């Protein structure tokens, strides 16, 4: 029975193209940007501050490539 329900759910799934272009998702990847800066050697506190300041200033952008 659970397999049947899962199969029905998968068959009826719909991918919404360009969903991430909606303004409500503009800060969705801010954590990814912080992680990227930390992985490149910046201390977490500095990375968090930098991203936060760019959001406050209205300068935060994050490119997303979906494959």
């Amino acid at each position: 029975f659970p397999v049947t329900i899962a199969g029905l759910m998968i068959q009826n799934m719909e991918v919404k193209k360009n969903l991430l272009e909606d303004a409500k998702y503009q800060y969705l990847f801010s954590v990814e940007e912080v992680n990227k800066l930390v992985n490149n050697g910046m201390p977490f506190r500095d990375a968090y501050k930098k991203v936060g300041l760019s959001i406050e200033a209205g300068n935060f952008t994050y490119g997303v490539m979906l494959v």
Side-chain angles (χ1 to χ4, degrees), residues 51-60:
V51 172
L53 289 173
S54 71
I55 289 171
E56 285 181 4
N59 300 326
F60 179 78

Side-chain angles (χ1 to χ4, degrees), residues 8-42:
L8 287 172
M9 287 179 4
I10 291 171
Q11 288 175 351
N12 293 300
M13 285 174 29
E14 181 181 324
V15 176
K16 295 182 180 181
K17 294 182 180 183
N18 304 323
L19 179 71
L20 297 179
E21 293 174 5
D22 191 317
K24 67 183 172 189
Y25 298 114
Q26 65 183 338
Y27 305 124
L28 183 67
F29 294 101
S30 60
V31 174
E32 290 297 322
E33 182 63 21
V34 171
N35 289 337
K36 184 173 75 172
L37 293 170
V38 169
N39 286 332
N40 287 328
M42 183 179 286

